[in-house]
Amino acid sequence: DIIGLKAFGYVLILFILVPMALFSIPEWWAAWMTTIGFCLFTTLSQLFQSRYFLHYSPPNRLGVYSGVFTMLIMVIMAPVGMGTYGYISAMPEDDIYQRYTLPYLIFGVIGVASLLTFNIRLHFVHDGRGMPAVPNMLPEDEMELVAPFGAMNLDEAAVIVGLDKEVLFKRLADPDPANFKELMLLVNTDRLQEAFDKHSADDFIKMMEAAPEVEEEEEEPPETSQTPLLSVRDEEAAQAAPAHLASASDELREAFKAGTPESRKKLIEKLVKELVDKERYRALGDCLVIMVKESDADGVKTFMLEVPVEEQWHCFIGMEDWMDEQDSKDFEKRWAKLMPGKQFAALMKQNPQLKDLAARLMKREIQRNMNRFRSKK
């Protein structure tokens, strides 16, 4: 890091030249220097390789690139090593020069020439930087990398956070959580909304399908005395749902459980007439919470496909008013299990209007993260 990758390449050449110059001297000090040079070259060349491919690997594919790069080097080196060993074995044992000195000098010269050529190349490729400022990535990799910012590629994410593309990529490659928080706080929600407005439902589908799978945590069995998730009719709750809202949510639940699309449509139209907006959103929210609690995936899917998007949006926003923090966390955990990104994308293919809901929810989540990070400063 101090001298840079270019200068580091010339250091490697030095640790080949020194053993080459001292290898044939029959003195202990020369033997020690040769051995030390060999050890340093072996160790430092591995370090050079690991640092080099970092410039070509996106952060979310680092393990794959590392494995492929290492295998490629081994495939190249294996025949050379076997050929050298075969040559040494074929030479007479009493001819030290032919058996050891000559092959070592030959391959040493080849190694120095190869490294020198490689190092000279670094001064000219990629505008003299030697390595690309940003690696070539598949569109899916870019979307996965910048998904926390609601963007589809690095260029769009750079506009949203107000940084150069190269600077943003370097900061995204930094594993320090504090750096990620700082990036999230740079998000400009107006630019984010502009980016969302430019994208179609198909773009959002691609974004969600590119999202990485989240490993599910094993849930601990609930204790018998544990309070049920989201006890919306708890008489002691300060914001318990009134009786007519509880009845409406029960009616909705039965409709999504065993009703027909036509009956559900008529029921929602009936609630629009009978309940004020806030009450209707609460009833829909109670219904959705019950289905999520019961892990009713089919009911949740039907809800997402048939309830108007505007009603769904106010339903989700309203939950923030009447849910406590623990209930909200439990709901989000269960919701993520029932409705992962790929599942939401599949529903959006059936109902493209869900794009507007997805955009609003993503923007809302980013704003919540920003507020949470600011409060912890």
Side-chain angles (χ1 to χ4, degrees), residues 248-292:
S249 65
D250 286 340
E251 195 173 358
L252 282 166
R253 176 67 189 102
E254 288 303 316
F256 281 105
K257 189 174 184 179
T260 63
E262 186 63 28
S263 65
R264 289 189 287 269
K265 182 178 179 181
K266 290 181 178 179
L267 176 58
I268 293 175
E269 291 174 350
K270 171 189 170 186
L271 294 179
V272 170
K273 296 177 181 178
E274 295 180 354
L275 301 176
V276 297
D277 291 345
K278 190 172 183 179
E279 291 180 337
R280 187 172 67 257
Y281 303 148
R282 175 64 185 268
L284 286 168
D286 285 346
C287 171
L288 182 60
V289 163
I290 294 171
M291 290 191 291
V292 171

Side-chain angles (χ1 to χ4, degrees), residues 35-191:
T35 302
I36 293 172
F38 271 140
C39 293
L40 286 173
F41 176 79
T42 302
T43 304
L44 295 178
S45 63
Q46 292 294 325
L47 177 60
F48 181 88
Q49 292 173 27
S50 64
R51 295 290 295 176
Y52 181 73
F53 74 72
L54 284 177
H55 293 275
Y56 292 87
S57 167
N60 53 334
R61 292 287 182 264
L62 189 57
V64 176
Y65 270 68
S66 175
V68 172
F69 192 86
T70 302
M71 289 180 61
L72 177 62
I73 295 298
M74 291 179 64
V75 168
I76 295 173
M77 291 177 61
V80 176
M82 289 187 291
T84 304
Y85 182 77
Y87 174 85
I88 292 174
S89 301
M91 292 296 102
E93 293 184 6
D94 57 348
D95 191 343
I96 301 300
Y97 180 80
Q98 288 287 339
R99 189 175 178 88
Y100 299 110
T101 306
L102 183 61
Y104 179 76
L105 290 175
I106 291 174
F107 284 100
V109 170
I110 293 174
V112 170
S114 299
L115 268 177
L116 187 60
T117 303
F118 180 81
N119 289 341
I120 293 174
R121 169 187 171 274
L122 291 182
H123 290 280
F124 297 97
V125 297
H126 300 297
D127 298 324
R129 293 188 305 268
M131 279 70 63
V134 177
N136 291 325
M137 291 183 285
L138 294 173
E140 294 81 2
D141 287 337
E142 276 200 68
M143 281 190 281
E144 181 180 334
L145 187 62
V146 299
F149 308 99
M152 292 198 66
N153 51 57
L154 277 170
D155 292 310
E156 191 171 85
V159 172
I160 291 173
V161 300
L163 295 174
D164 290 336
K165 180 179 178 180
E166 293 78 8
V167 175
L168 174 61
F169 178 79
K170 288 181 179 179
R171 296 187 65 173
L172 285 172
D174 188 345
D176 186 359
N179 182 62
F180 176 76
K181 292 180 180 179
E182 291 175 2
L183 284 176
M184 286 299 301
L185 292 175
L186 293 176
V187 170
N188 184 310
T189 53
D190 292 333
R191 294 175 185 168

Side-chain angles (χ1 to χ4, degrees), residues 200-229:
S200 64
D202 289 337
D203 292 332
F204 274 83
I205 290 171
K206 293 176 182 177
M207 190 187 306
M208 292 181 173
E209 289 178 339
E213 295 287 347
V214 179
E215 294 184 4
E216 297 179 3
E217 299 179 359
E218 293 185 3
E219 297 183 4
E220 297 181 1
E223 299 178 4
T224 54
S225 60
Q226 183 179 0
T227 303
L229 172 66

Side-chain angles (χ1 to χ4, degrees), residues 233-252:
R233 302 188 185 98
D234 187 350
E235 295 180 358
E236 298 179 357
Q239 296 180 341
H244 69 288
L245 291 186
S247 175
S249 65
D250 286 340
E251 195 173 358
L252 282 166

Side-chain angles (χ1 to χ4, degrees), residues 21-42:
L22 302 177
F23 178 75
S24 59
I25 299 177
E27 298 289 343
W28 277 111
W29 65 268
W32 277 108
M33 292 300 295
T34 300
T35 302
I36 293 172
F38 271 140
C39 293
L40 286 173
F41 176 79
T42 302

